[in-house]
Amino acid sequence: MQPTAGAPRPGPAAAKRRRRRRKEAAAKMKKTKKPNKIVKRLRPRAEAAAERAVEEEEEEAAAAAAEEAARRARHLKALSRTSGAERELEELVFGDSLNVEEGELLQRLAGPRRLSAAGRGSLRRGSSDSEAENEAKGELLPKKPAWVDEDDEAEENVDMTHRYRKDFMKSDAEKILTKKKLKRRLEEQFQRAMGGVPAWADLENRKKSKTTASDSDSDEDDDLLCRTGNFISNSESLPRGILKMRTCLPANQERFANGKLVTVQFHPSAQVVMTAGHDRSVSLFQVDGIRNPRIQSIYLESFPIYKACFSVDGEQVIATGTHHKMFFVYDMMSGSIIPIQKVRGVDERFLRNFELSPDGSFMLLTGTSGYLHLLSMKTKELISTMKVNGRCTASAFTPDSSKIYSYSKEGEVFIWDVRSRKCLHKFEDEGSLEGKCIAVSKNNQYVACGSASGVVNLYTTDVCLKENHPKPVKAIMNLVTSATCVTFNPTTEILAVASRETDEAVKLVHIPSYTVFSNFPVFRRKQIYLAQSMDFSPRSGFFSVANNKGKALLFRLRHYSDF
C-alpha cells in the first residue's frame, strides 16, 4: 500500500520502534509457552494425588464409624447385664424368689459381716425372720470413710482482738483462740444470758425424754385411769430469800444520757428498751445482755423530758416536758415527730405526769388542783375531766382498763369508773400523810400505795372496793425516805419499790411471802445511786433501773427463761 499524497512518511526512528516491539512480543510468547507445557505435564499427577487423599479419608471415616459402633455395642451389652444383688432384689420385690428365704436374701445383699457367737447360736437355733434381720443389720462392720481430708482435722485459729470478739476474751493472753474454744465460749455466754440451757437446745434430755416417754406410755395410761383430781399442775413459782440474778452492761451502754435519766421502759412486744432524760433525747436500744446496741435516738430541741412511755401497740412514744403545756408523739413506723400544741378543754400550766390504759384507748393527764383529764389515744382530744379532793399525785389503770385508781396528796385513793367517769369508791391509805405513787398488779389482785414516810402498803383489790379504811396485807418499811416509784412484774411475783432521795434505795419484795430479797441491791457496793424509774421486761427476764447518772442499769433475772 502506497502512502497517499500529502501524508508524511514515517522516519527511521519509528521503524526502529516497531521492530523492537515485535521482538518483545515474540519473547513474551516464548516465555508463556514453556509454563503451559509444564502445567500440562503436572496436571495428571496432581489429580491422581487428590484422588488418593480422598480415598484415604473415606477409609479412615469408615474405620472410625466401625469402632464407634463396636464401642456402643459393648456399652449396651454391659448395661443390659444386671448384678447378682440387683437380680435378688428384683426377685424379692416382684415375688419371684420362691426358694430363697427373706433373711438369707438380706444377708447376701448386705455383703460380708461379722456376727458374735451368741448371734450365730441364736440364728442356728432358728429364730424368727425379724430377729435374724435385726441382728444382721445391727452387727455389720462399720464402713470406713472413702477419704480423709487433713485440712478438716487441722484447727483454725481466730483473732480475738477484733472489736466484735473482744468481749469474749477473759485475759490478754487469749488474743488467739481455736474455733472449738470460741464455740464453747459462745455457748457459755448464751447460757449465762438465757439463765441456763434452753429445752430445745438440750439434745440429750430430749432423746432421753423421747425414749422414756415411749417406754412408759402404757404405765402412764394405767396411772392416769387409776386416780382422780386435778390433772393440771402449776409451774414452779419464784422462791423467796435469794433472787438469782446477774448484772449486765447498762441498757444504754452505747449512749449514756447527759444528766438525769427519768424514764426507762421495755417495749411491749420487741426485745427493745427505751430511755429518756433531761438531755432532751429519747433513745432505743436492743436488749441482748451483752452489748445492747443502740437502734435510734431522737432529739427534742428545748424540751427536757419529764416522762416518756410506749403506746400499747409499741408503734408510738409519748413524751411530756418539765415546763411545757405541749407534748410530743413520736411515730416509730413513719419516723415523724408530731407536736401536740394544746388540747382543747385542758387549761393547765404544765402537762407532766400521765398514764396510758392497757387496752390502748385512753390517755390520762394528771393536772393541778386535783383535775384528771381523760383523752382519746387516737385523736388526742379531751373526753372528760374528773376531780379529786386536794391534789392528785399519781394514778393507775386496772389491767382491764375499766377503772382508775388516783392517789391524792392527802393520802386518799379514789376509784373511778372509766365508762361513766364516776367515783365508785374512796378509801384512806393507812398511816399515809402524803401520797407519792401507786401501782396495780397485772393480775388485778394487789394495789401498792407509797407514801412520803417511805412506807409502801400492799392491799388486795377486793378489800379496797368494799372498805373505807382497809387493812394492808403487808406494810413494807424497808425504805427510810419517800417512796417515789413502785411497780409489779408481769407475773405478780415481785414488787419493786424505790426512793429517789437516797442512794441504793431499791428493794425487791417477794409475793406472796411479802419478804424482801436479801441479795439486792448488792451489799457495800454502790451501783444504783438515785433511782428515778424502774421497769420489768414483758416476761420478767430483765429488770432495769434508771438513775441520776444517766445510766439504765440492767439485771438478768435467771428464774425467768424468756425476755
Side-chain angles (χ1 to χ4, degrees):
M1 183 176 178
Q2 293 181 0
T4 59
R9 295 182 65 180
K16 288 181 180 180
R17 284 196 297 270
R18 282 196 299 270
R19 284 195 298 271
R20 189 169 60 250
R21 288 175 185 169
R22 289 193 192 104
K23 289 180 181 180
E24 289 176 358
K28 287 182 180 179
M29 292 296 292
K30 290 179 181 180
K31 289 181 180 180
T32 55
K33 286 179 180 179
K34 290 181 179 179
N36 288 338
K37 293 178 180 180
I38 296 171
V39 170
K40 289 179 181 178
R41 293 172 188 171
L42 295 177
R43 185 175 294 169
R45 298 178 184 177
E47 291 177 355
E51 291 176 359
R52 285 196 298 271
V54 170
E55 290 176 359
E56 289 178 0
E57 289 179 359
E58 291 177 354
E59 290 176 1
E60 290 178 359
E67 186 179 353
E68 181 67 18
R71 186 175 61 83
R72 290 185 179 181
R74 289 196 301 271
H75 287 179
L76 290 173
K77 188 176 180 181
L79 291 173
S80 62
R81 296 198 198 108
T82 57
S83 64
E86 292 178 353
R87 287 197 299 273
E88 291 172 356
L89 184 59
E90 290 176 358
E91 292 174 358
L92 176 63
V93 172
F94 297 107
D96 294 332
S97 59
L98 299 176
N99 299 323
V100 181
E101 293 293 335
E102 183 180 356
E104 183 181 355
L105 183 59
L106 289 172
Q107 292 175 9
R108 278 188 284 170
L109 289 173
R113 64 197 181 279
R114 291 182 183 178
L115 296 176
S116 62
R120 290 196 295 269
S122 62
L123 286 174
R124 292 194 192 99
R125 286 193 295 271
S127 61
S128 64
D129 294 340
S130 60
E131 292 177 354
E133 179 182 348
N134 294 335
E135 289 181 5
K137 290 179 181 178
E139 299 184 4
L140 295 175
L141 283 172
K143 293 183 179 180
K144 295 182 179 180
W147 71 86
V148 178
D149 194 348
E150 297 179 355
D151 294 337
D152 293 341
E153 298 179 356
E155 292 186 354
E156 185 177 350
N157 295 327
V158 181
D159 183 14
M160 299 300 295
T161 58
H162 193 273
R163 58 174 180 161
Y164 291 149
R165 292 187 286 267
K166 278 185 177 181
D167 297 335
F168 300 106
M169 293 175 56
K170 293 183 177 179
S171 64
D172 295 337
E174 294 182 341
K175 292 184 179 180
I176 295 177
L177 286 181
T178 61
K179 272 192 173 181
K180 291 183 180 179
K181 291 184 178 180
L182 180 59
K183 180 182 177 182
R184 286 197 298 269
R185 193 69 54 81
L186 290 170
E187 290 175 353
E188 293 173 359
Q189 192 77 12
F190 175 76
Q191 292 175 10
R192 284 197 297 270
M194 297 300 295
V197 181
W200 56 266
D202 196 351
L203 298 179
E204 295 183 358
N205 290 338
R206 288 177 65 183
K207 291 180 180 178
K208 290 179 181 179
S209 62
K210 286 182 180 179
T211 55
T212 54
S214 60
D215 294 340
S216 61
D217 279 343
S218 58
D219 297 337
E220 288 180 357
D221 292 340
D222 295 339
D223 296 339
L224 190 65
L225 297 174
C226 292
R227 63 186 178 88
T228 60
N230 187 10
F231 295 107
I232 301 175
S233 60
N234 295 326
S235 61
E236 184 181 358
S237 59
L238 179 68
R240 55 180 290 182
I242 296 177
L243 181 62
K244 294 181 180 179
M245 63 190 311
R246 178 176 62 88
T247 303
C248 306
L249 287 176
N252 61 342
Q253 174 69 26
E254 294 194 356
R255 188 191 181 279
F256 292 139
N258 295 326
K260 187 186 296 184
L261 200 65
V262 296
T263 296
V264 61
Q265 187 186 11
F266 290 94
H267 194 276
S269 57
Q271 199 163 334
V272 175
V273 67
M274 173 191 65
T275 62
H278 288 176
D279 62 347
R280 306 169 182 83
S281 64
V282 177
S283 300
L284 301 176
F285 302 89
Q286 183 182 354
V287 181
D288 59 4
I290 302 173
R291 292 179 56 244
N292 305 322
R294 182 169 66 95
I295 300 173
Q296 189 181 14
S297 294
I298 61 172
Y299 182 77
L300 304 177
E301 188 175 357
S302 302
F303 195 84
I305 298 173
Y306 181 85
K307 183 177 181 179
C309 186
F310 280 117
S311 61
V312 177
D313 57 7
E315 296 181 358
Q316 294 180 344
V317 175
I318 294 93
T320 58
T322 55
H323 297 87
H324 293 81
K325 293 182 180 180
M326 61 178 292
F327 61 92
F328 284 96
V329 177
Y330 172 52
D331 191 343
M332 293 188 291
M333 305 303 293
S334 63
S336 58
I337 302 174
I338 306 168
I340 308 298
Q341 297 292 344
K342 185 177 181 181
V343 180
R344 183 179 298 177
V346 178
D347 296 327
E348 297 289 345
R349 186 180 178 185
F350 303 127
L351 295 180
R352 293 179 175 175
N353 201 5
F354 68 95
E355 298 293 333
L356 302 181
S357 62
D359 63 356
S361 301
F362 305 104
M363 176 179 178
L364 185 69
L365 291 173
T366 303
T368 57
S369 303
Y371 286 101
L372 300 173
H373 307 285
L374 190 66
L375 276 62
S376 171
M377 271 297 293
K378 291 183 179 180
T379 62
K380 307 298 187 295
E381 294 181 353
L382 180 66
I383 297 175
S384 180
T385 299
M386 298 164 283
K387 175 78 166 62
V388 302
N389 297 333
R391 179 186 172 187
C392 184
T393 57
S395 300
F397 281 91
T398 56
D400 57 0
S401 303
S402 63
K403 299 179 182 64
I404 298 173
Y405 286 78
S406 57
Y407 198 16
S408 70
K409 190 175 181 180
E410 288 72 21
E412 293 180 329
V413 179
F414 296 82
I415 304 175
W416 302 87
D417 179 55
V418 175
R419 180 172 297 181
S420 63
R421 270 80 69 183
K422 294 182 178 179
C423 184
L424 300 177
H425 189 66
K426 181 183 72 171
F427 69 90
E428 292 183 3
D429 183 19
E430 186 181 63
S432 175
L433 300 178
E434 181 182 352
K436 285 291 185 180
C437 54
I438 190 170
V440 182
S441 63
K442 301 298 187 292
N443 61 357
N444 201 24
Q445 185 179 358
Y446 297 102
V447 177
C449 301
S451 62
S453 61
V455 178
V456 178
N457 288 329
L458 190 62
Y459 301 92
T460 59
T461 54
D462 296 338
V463 176
C464 294
L465 290 169
K466 296 177 182 178
E467 300 181 10
N468 295 326
H469 301 278
K471 291 291 183 181
V473 294
K474 177 65 177 179
I476 302 166
M477 302 183 180
N478 296 85
L479 301 178
V480 296
T481 55
S482 299
T484 55
C485 184
V486 292
T487 183
F488 290 90
N489 80 318
T491 61
T492 318
E493 293 178 311
I494 302 174
L495 171 63
V497 299
S499 173
R500 66 170 64 101
E501 297 179 4
T502 186
D503 291 337
E504 309 300 307
V506 179
K507 298 294 181 182
L508 299 180
V509 182
H510 177 260
I511 298 175
S513 67
Y514 312 122
T515 57
V516 175
F517 289 102
S518 59
N519 63 324
F520 186 84
V522 180
F523 182 63
R524 290 182 179 176
R525 180 183 173 187
K526 185 178 288 189
Q527 61 177 352
I528 297 177
Y529 295 94
L530 301 180
Q532 307 295 317
S533 176
M534 302 180 296
D535 193 28
F536 291 91
S537 60
R539 292 179 179 82
S540 303
F542 288 91
F543 173 63
S544 183
V545 181
N547 64 12
N548 61 322
K549 302 293 184 180
K551 295 183 179 181
L553 306 176
L554 189 64
F555 303 93
R556 175 72 175 91
L557 306 185
R558 294 185 174 180
H559 176 77
Y560 304 99
S561 58
D562 296 331
F563 174 74

